[in-house]
C-alpha cells in the first residue's frame, strides 16, 4: 500500500515538475518575443525623436550633404493613401454588402470570399508588379495614380472582409422590421443596416488606412519617388516609405537620419490609427 | 374625389416602380463590385503570365533549376531566389512557431487577468507595425550586433559539425540569409501569436474546467484539451504565418545582401524572390531581364496561393467541426 502511495507521489511530483518546466518555457518565450520587439521600438523612438525637428515637416527631401526634410514625401504619402482609400473603400463596401446581403443563395459568393482571401494574403510586391504591367507600362511612366491603385488593391480585401463581417452582425429582425414597413431592399440596406453597422465599417476602413500607410513594396515600381514637389498624380510622387527605403540604404549619414525620422512618423501614425480603431470598437 | 384617389394609387404604384428600379440598380452594383474582386485576381494571373511568358519560353523548365542570374549575358534561373525564399521562411518558422505558441499559452493559461489585456494589445499593435520598420531596424541595429557578437561564435562552434557545418561557416558579415530569416521570424511572432491566442480562446471553458477539476496540471490541459481541440486551426495558423513570411519584401530586402549566387553557408548574402524584385525591377534593362523578374513574381504568387489554399482548407475544417458541435 505504502509502495503504491510512493509511486503516486513520485508520479505527482513528475507531473508538477513537467508542468513547471513547460510553463517556465512559455514565460521565457514570451519574454524572448517581447524582448526583440521592445528593443526595436526603443531604438526606433530614440533615433526618431533625435532626428525629428521642424524642418522635417517644412523642407523637401534634400540632395546628400544638404539640410532638408521630408515635407514633400509626407504630403505625397497622404495624397496617395487618401486616393487609394477613395478608390478602394466604395468598391470594398459594396462588395462586402453583396456578400452579406445578396449572396444567400448565390453560387459565386464562396468563390469571391476565397478570392478575396487570396488577394488579402497575396504578397504586396506582386500587386506592385501587376499594377506596373497594367498601368505603368501603358501610361509610359511611373505615376502617383499607379501608386494609389496599388494601395487600393491592398485596402480592398480588408474592407470587403470587415464590411461583410460587420453587416452580418446586424440582427435579421432589424431587416425584417424595415421590410415589414414596406421599405425597398436598397433603402433597408442603406438607411437601416449601414447605420447599424456604421462603426464597424469605419473600423475596417481605418484598419485598411493603417495597413496601406506603411506599405512600401507596391510603391517601389508604381509611384516610384520624386525628389521634388509633384504637381500632379500623373508623374512620380514622393512618398514616405520609398524615401525611407532609399535613404536608409544610402551611404549618407544625414539621409539615414532622415530615414529614422520618417520611420518614426510612419510607426507613430500606424499605432495611433490602430489605437483609434480599438477605442472606436470599445465605445460601440 | 375619385380622381384624387386614382392619382394617389398611381403615385403609389409609380413609387413602387421607382423602388424596384433602385433596388435593381443597387443589387447589381454591389454584385458588380464583388465581381471586380474576382476579376482583379484573374487579371493578376493573366498579366503575370503574359509578362513571364518570354522568360518561360526561352529558358523552359531549366528556369526553375538553373542557379545562374546574369543580367549581362541575359541568362536567368530562379533557383537562387527560390532557395533563399524557402530557407529564410524555414528559419522564420523555426523561431516564430515555438515562440508564438509560448506567448499564446502564456496569454490564455498563465497570465494574471490584469496583465492579459495589456499583453494582448501590445502583441496586436506590434503586428501592425509596417515591415519596412523591421527591415530598417535589422539593417542598422540587429545586423551589426549579430555580425560582431553572434556570428563569430556560430562559425566557431557550429562550423565544425560534420555535414551541417558548412551551413554555418563563413565570414561574419552581419547581413545574410540567416539574419534575414531571424528578422522575418521576429516579424511573424506578433501575427502568429495573435492567431494562436484567438484559436486557444475558442476552446470551451467547460472542457478545460472539467480537466482541471479531475486534477490535471496546466500543461496537461494544454496538451490534452486545448491542442487536440484546436489542432487543425493551429496548422492553418502556421500556414498563414508561412504565407506571410514567404511573400514578405521589405523586412528581408534590407538585410539579405542582394547577391545572386547560390551559397552553401547561411551566413553569406543571398536573395529571395521578393528582394530580387524590390532591388532589381526598376533597374532591369531589356525585355528578358524584366520578364524573368516577372516570372519570379509568378512563382511567388503560385507558392503563396498554394500555402493559403492549404491554410484555408484546415481552417475551414475547423469551422465545420464547430458547426457540428453547436
Amino acid at each position: 500500500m505504502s509502495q503504491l502511495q510512493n509511486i503516486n507521489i513520485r508520479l505527482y511530483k513528475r507531473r508538477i515538475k513537467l508542468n513547471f518546466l513547460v510553463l517556465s518555457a512559455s514565460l521565457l518565450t514570451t519574454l524572448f518575443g517581447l524582448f526583440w520587439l521592445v528593443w526595436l521600438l526603443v531604438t526606433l523612438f530614440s533615433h526618431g525623436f533625435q532626428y525629428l525637428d521642424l524642418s522635417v515637416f517644412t523642407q523637401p527631401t534634400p540632395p546628400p550633404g544638404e539640410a532638408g526634410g521630408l515635407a514633400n514625401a509626407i504630403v505625397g504619402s497622404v495624397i496617395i493613401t487618401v486616393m487609394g482609400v477613395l478608390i478602394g473603400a466604395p468598391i470594398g463596401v459594396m462588395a462586402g454588402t453583396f456578400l452579406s446581403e445578396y449572396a444567400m443563395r448565390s453560387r459565386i459568393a464562396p468563390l469571391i470570399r476565397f478570392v478575396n482571401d487570396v488577394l488579402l494574403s497575396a504578397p504586396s510586391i506582386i500587386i506592385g508588379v501587376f499594377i506596373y504591367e497594367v498601368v505603368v507600362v501603358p501610361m509610359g511612366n511611373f505615376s502617383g495614380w499607379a501608386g494609389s491603385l496599388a494601395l487600393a488593391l491592398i485596402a480592398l480585401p480588408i474592407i470587403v472582409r470587415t464590411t461583410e463581417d460587420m453587416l452580418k452582425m446586424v440582427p435579421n429582425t432589424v431587416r425584417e422590421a424595415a421590410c415589414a414597413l414596406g421599405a425597398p431592399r436598397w433603402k433597408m440596406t442603406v438607411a437601416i443596416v449601414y447605420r447599424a453597422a456604421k462603426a464597424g465599417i469605419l473600423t475596417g476602413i481605418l484598419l485598411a488606412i493603417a495597413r496601406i500607410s506603411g506599405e512600401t513594396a507596391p510603391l517601389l515600381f508604381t509611384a516610384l519617388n520624386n525628389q521634388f514637389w509633384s504637381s500632379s498624380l500623373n508623374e512620380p510622387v514622393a512618398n514616405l516609405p520609398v524615401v525611407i527605403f532609399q535613404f536608409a540604404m544610402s551611404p549618407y549619414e544625414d539621409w539615414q537620419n532622415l530615414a529614422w525620422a520618417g520611420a518614426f512618423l510612419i510607426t507613430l501614425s500606424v499605432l495611433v490609427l490602430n489605437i483609434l480603431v480599438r477605442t472606436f470598437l470599445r465605445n460601440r | 374625389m375619385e380622381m384624387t384617389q386614382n392619382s394617389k394609387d398611381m403615385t403609389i404604384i409609380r413609387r413602387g416602380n421607382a423602388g424596384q428600379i433602385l433596388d435593381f440598380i443597387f443589387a447589381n452594383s454591389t454584385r458588380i463590385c464583388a465581381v471586380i474582386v474576382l476579376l482583379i485576381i484573374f487579371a493578376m494571373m493573366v498579366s503575370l503570365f503574359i509578362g513571364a511568358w518570354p522568360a518561360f519560353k526561352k529558358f523552359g523548365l531549366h528556369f526553375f533549376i538553373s542557379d545562374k542570374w546574369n543580367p549581362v549575358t541575359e541568362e536567368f534561373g530562379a533557383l537562387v531566389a527560390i532557395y533563399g525564399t524557402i530557407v529564410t521562411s524555414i528559419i522564420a518558422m523555426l523561431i516564430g512557431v515555438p515562440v508564438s505558441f509560448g506567448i499564446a499559452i502564456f496569454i490564455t493559461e498563465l497570465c494574471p487577468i490584469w496583465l492579459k489585456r495589456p499583453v494582448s494589445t501590445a502583441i496586436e499593435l506590434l503586428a501592425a507595425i509596417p515591415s519596412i520598420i523591421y527591415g530598417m531596424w535589422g539593417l542598422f541595429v540587429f545586423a551589426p550586433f549579430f555580425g560582431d557578437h553572434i556570428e563569430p561564435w556560430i562559425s566557431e562552434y557550429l562550423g565544425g559539425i560534420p555535414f551541417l557545418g558548412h551551413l554555418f561557416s563563413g565570414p561574419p558579415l552581419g547581413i545574410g540569409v540567416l539574419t534575414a530569416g531571424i528578422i522575418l521570424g521576429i516579424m511573424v511572432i506578433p501575427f502568429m501569436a495573435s492567431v494562436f491566442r484567438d484559436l486557444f480562446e475558442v476552446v470551451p471553458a467547460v472542457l478545460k474546467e472539467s480537466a482541471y477539476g479531475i486534477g490535471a496540471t496546466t500543461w496537461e490541459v494544454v496538451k490534452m484539451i486545448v491542442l487536440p481541440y484546436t489542432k487543425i486551426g493551429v496548422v492553418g495558423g502556421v500556414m498563414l504565418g508561412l504565407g506571410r513570411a514567404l511573400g514578405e519584401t521589405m523586412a528581408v530586402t534590407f538585410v539579405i545582401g542582394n547577391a545572386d549566387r547560390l551559397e552553401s553557408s547561411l551566413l553569406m548574402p543571398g536573395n529571395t524572390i521578393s528582394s530580387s524584385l524590390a532591388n532589381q525591377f526598376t533597374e532591369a534593362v531589356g525585355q528578358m531581364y524584366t520578364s524573368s523578374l516577372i516570372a519570379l513574381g509568378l512563382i511567388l504568387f503560385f507558392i503563396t496561393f498554394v500555402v493559403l489554399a492549404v491554410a484555408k482548407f484546415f481552417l475551414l475544417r475547423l469551422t465545420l467541426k464547430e458547426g457540428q458541435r453547436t
Side-chain angles (χ1 to χ4, degrees), chain A residues 130 133, chain B residues 40-52 298 301:
Chain A
F130 168 61
E133 280 198 85
Chain B
I40 287 170
I41 284 285
F42 188 67
M44 251 168 101
M45 289 179 180
V46 169
S47 81
L48 282 176
F49 195 78
I50 291 173
L298 184 62
F301 189 63

Side-chain angles (χ1 to χ4, degrees), chain B residues 184-260:
Chain B
L184 214 47
I186 294 173
M187 208 197 85
V188 293
I189 286 173
F191 173 72
M192 288 209 304
S194 43
V195 173
F196 286 164
R197 188 211 53 195
D198 290 349
L199 279 172
F200 290 172
E201 287 199 329
V202 172
V203 180
V206 186
L207 282 184
K208 288 199 280 190
E209 279 159 12
S210 21
Y212 280 123
I214 56 169
T217 61
T218 308
W219 166 239
E220 282 161 354
V221 169
V222 170
K223 194 176 75 175
M224 294 169 185
I225 308 292
V226 176
L227 270 187
Y229 193 87
T230 56
K231 192 170 50 189
I232 305 170
V234 167
V235 177
V238 171
M239 285 311 212
L240 280 185
L242 180 63
R244 206 158 230 236
L246 286 167
E248 179 45 49
T249 310
M250 298 323 289
V252 171
T253 307
F254 275 98
V255 289
I256 198 160
N258 191 26
D260 296 310

Side-chain angles (χ1 to χ4, degrees), chain A residues 119-130:
Chain A
L119 197 59
L120 192 63
S121 58
S124 52
I125 194 151
I126 303 292
I127 289 170
V129 174
F130 168 61

Side-chain angles (χ1 to χ4, degrees), chain A residues 244-252 256 259, chain B residues 139-140 253-255 279:
Chain A
I244 292 174
F245 180 52
Q246 288 182 351
F247 280 19
M249 293 291 252
S250 78
Y252 313 110
Q256 293 175 358
Chain B
L139 177 69
F140 287 120
T253 307
F254 275 98
V255 289
N279 276 317

Side-chain angles (χ1 to χ4, degrees), chain B residues 68-259:
Chain B
K68 284 206 181 62
W69 187 269
N70 193 336
V72 181
T73 58
E74 297 217 317
E75 280 178 275
F76 299 103
L79 192 63
V80 177
I82 294 177
Y83 169 82
T85 304
I86 291 173
V87 169
T88 49
S89 301
I90 290 175
I91 298 172
M93 288 294 111
L94 286 180
I95 298 168
V97 173
V99 174
S100 357
F101 202 75
I103 294 178
I105 292 178
F106 177 80
I107 293 176
T108 52
E109 303 295 329
L110 202 58
C111 184
I113 290 176
W114 58 270
L115 197 63
K116 209 166 180 170
R117 195 163 189 142
V119 175
S120 303
T121 313
I123 297 281
E124 276 165 29
L125 287 181
L126 289 167
I129 293 179
S131 59
I132 188 171
I133 308 295
Y134 286 89
M136 197 174 156
W137 175 78
L139 177 69
F140 287 120
V141 181
F142 182 71
F145 166 80
F146 195 62
D148 289 344
H149 301 289
I150 313 282
E151 281 188 343
W153 184 88
I154 289 178
S155 55
E156 194 180 330
Y157 290 97
L158 299 180
I161 304 172
F163 300 115
L164 284 177
H166 62 259
L167 281 177
F168 301 110
S169 51
L173 298 170
I175 54 172
V177 174
L178 184 58
T179 315
I182 292 173
I183 300 279
L184 214 47
I186 294 173
M187 208 197 85
V188 293
I189 286 173
F191 173 72
M192 288 209 304
S194 43
V195 173
F196 286 164
R197 188 211 53 195
D198 290 349
L199 279 172
F200 290 172
E201 287 199 329
V202 172
V203 180
V206 186
L207 282 184
K208 288 199 280 190
E209 279 159 12
S210 21
Y212 280 123
I214 56 169
T217 61
T218 308
W219 166 239
E220 282 161 354
V221 169
V222 170
K223 194 176 75 175
M224 294 169 185
I225 308 292
V226 176
L227 270 187
Y229 193 87
T230 56
K231 192 170 50 189
I232 305 170
V234 167
V235 177
V238 171
M239 285 311 212
L240 280 185
L242 180 63
R244 206 158 230 236
L246 286 167
E248 179 45 49
T249 310
M250 298 323 289
V252 171
T253 307
F254 275 98
V255 289
I256 198 160
N258 191 26

Side-chain angles (χ1 to χ4, degrees), chain A residues 88-102:
Chain A
I91 302 178
V93 170
M94 290 296 261
T97 309
F98 174 76
L99 289 178
S100 159
E101 306 293 312
Y102 290 96

Side-chain angles (χ1 to χ4, degrees), chain A residues 107-181:
Chain A
R107 242 174 291 158
I108 55 167
L111 180 65
I112 289 175
R113 268 186 212 111
F114 176 72
V115 159
N116 191 58
D117 281 351
V118 173
L119 197 59
L120 192 63
S121 58
S124 52
I125 194 151
I126 303 292
I127 289 170
V129 174
F130 168 61
I131 294 293
Y132 174 84
E133 280 198 85
V134 297
V135 179
V136 176
V137 172
M139 270 177 75
N141 65 313
F142 298 101
S143 68
W145 284 117
S148 293
L149 271 175
L151 292 185
L153 286 194
I154 291 168
L156 179 65
I158 304 173
I159 297 173
V160 172
R161 183 75 169 276
T162 43
T163 304
E164 190 199 348
D165 289 350
M166 293 301 167
L167 292 185
K168 278 201 167 144
M169 276 163 62
V170 176
N172 258 333
T173 44
V174 173
R175 294 190 181 89
E176 283 157 10
C179 282
L181 289 174

